[in-house]
Amino acid sequence: MGTYVFIELPPPLGEWIDAPETLFPVRVSEAEDLQRPEAPQPEWILFELERYLEENPAKQARLAKPGAQLAFHTALELFTSGLKEESLQFYELSLRLLPDAVPVRTNYAVALHALCYRDAALAQYRLLIGQTSAREHLRVRILAAEILSLHGEHAAVVELLDPLAREVFPADAEFWDLLGDAREEVARKPGPPGFVVTVRNGLREGLQVEFSGQARIGRALENEICLPDVDVSRVHAFIEPQGDHCVLLDNGSANGTTVNGSRVSGPVTVRPGDVVRCATIELAVSAAGR
């Protein structure tokens, strides 16, 4: 383990957090360079914070909020400076420290979208849809619908936007264009049957994710079905519709996958009503629209 000292944030970094008097841990060897006000280095202070929390996980509660705020503002600065790819790791750090921070997740999703990481962006939009109201965060729904439309998932666009057309009636031309085009496509030909997984326990209990193509299940944020639990592997399993059922495949996860209590050792059929368990997290499978 390293030897750390605690430093004040050099200006103007202290203005980025609610409690500017917070002291941040850095290794003794890095302290002098990281305290210079003429060349503030928030990225390196955050790298030091990550290292410290890996070695001292019990300290995370005290440093989570200021660390998340510093990481968020660092990501924003990088993104607006054109360093969009580099901003992602700091959005992700901020979300690891404060997973329920809606502004952080929104900006992270938009950054992924701007970089054309559409599947990862859509996964974040889906989490936001589960966290926010349509009236206050309509734009999140429109951006999600934009990606679904590009994927050819027109029925999903209708399912997402149609209730808002009746309940919110947005004054947004893009909303109506997306919904109108999706309605026409759905009327032209029926899409493949979709399925829904509902998280039954853990941090995302109650979250519902609909899918009509292959979906990844795991702890990593880029998974379509994201389960932020330490016992779940980064990419734990895959599930893919096949007509009236799905095929589930464990991805060599550390803690295993079961279907209705039976451990998965190869591709296995999953039908509506079945319960999938990834490590300690249970997912109920149902047909979309039922």
Side-chain angles (χ1 to χ4, degrees):
M1 297 179 66
T3 301
Y4 291 86
V5 295
F6 286 78
I7 66 169
E8 293 184 354
L9 292 177
L13 304 185
E15 299 172 6
W16 293 2
I17 64 176
D18 291 344
E21 70 279 4
T22 300
L23 301 178
F24 279 74
V26 300
R27 285 171 295 168
V28 171
S29 58
E30 307 297 325
E32 183 177 352
D33 285 342
L34 294 179
Q35 286 183 291
R36 290 185 299 170
E38 68 276 10
Q41 302 178 68
E43 301 96 323
W44 289 101
I45 293 173
L46 289 164
F47 292 148
E48 292 292 305
L49 175 62
E50 276 195 287
R51 181 191 295 268
Y52 176 79
L53 292 178
E54 286 175 3
E55 297 177 6
N56 301 275
K59 304 295 186 181
Q60 178 160 323
R62 183 172 66 83
L63 292 166
K65 184 176 180 180
Q69 291 175 336
L70 181 61
F72 178 40
H73 282 278
T74 300
L76 288 176
E77 287 290 317
L78 291 169
F79 187 86
T80 55
S81 299
L83 299 173
K84 297 179 180 179
E85 189 80 41
E86 291 81 354
S87 74
L88 297 182
Q89 62 182 313
F90 297 103
Y91 284 125
E92 290 165 0
L93 172 58
S94 186
L95 287 169
R96 287 199 298 275
L97 293 170
L98 285 181
D100 293 328
V102 169
V104 180
R105 193 172 299 281
T106 301
N107 280 272
Y108 177 49
V110 170
L112 290 166
H113 199 157
L115 289 163
C116 294
Y117 297 143
R118 296 190 182 100
D119 289 342
L122 183 58
Q124 296 305 309
Y125 291 140
R126 282 172 166 154
L127 288 173
L128 286 163
I129 288 168
Q131 288 180 290
T132 63
S133 72
R135 290 185 183 276
E136 294 181 356
H137 293 86
L138 176 66
R139 190 65 190 164
V140 166
R141 276 84 176 158
I142 292 173
L143 292 171
E146 180 183 302
I147 294 175
L148 290 168
S149 181
L150 288 171
H151 287 175
E153 297 181 42
H154 305 294
V157 174
V158 173
E159 182 177 356
L160 176 61
L161 299 185
D162 211 34
L164 307 184
R166 298 189 298 272
E167 298 165 11
V168 181
F169 203 81
D172 189 298
E174 185 180 2
F175 173 94
W176 294 106
D177 287 344
L178 284 165
L179 180 56
D181 290 346
R183 284 171 171 169
E184 288 180 7
E185 290 295 331
V186 169
R188 185 173 294 126
K189 65 174 184 177
F195 292 85
V196 175
V197 295
T198 302
V199 183
R200 293 176 40 163
N201 63 325
L203 292 174
R204 298 300 178 203
E205 182 177 357
L207 175 70
Q208 292 188 321
V209 180
E210 182 174 348
F211 60 100
S212 56
Q214 187 188 77
R216 295 163 295 180
I217 305 171
R219 188 180 72 245
L221 292 171
E222 61 265 27
N223 291 305
E224 289 76 18
I225 304 170
C226 179
L227 305 175
D229 186 278
V230 294
D231 293 324
V232 175
S233 297
R234 284 185 59 80
V235 181
H236 195 100
F238 300 92
I239 188 168
E240 183 172 3
Q242 296 286 339
D244 64 349
H245 65 276
C246 298
V247 173
L248 178 76
L249 179 66
D250 184 88
N251 190 42
S253 64
N255 293 312
T257 304
T258 66
V259 175
N260 300 330
S262 299
R263 193 174 181 96
V264 172
S265 58
V268 63
T269 296
V270 176
R271 300 186 183 279
D274 288 344
V275 175
V276 175
R277 188 179 182 94
C278 295
T280 58
I281 304 300
E282 289 188 352
L283 306 172
V285 180
S286 59
R290 297 183 188 176

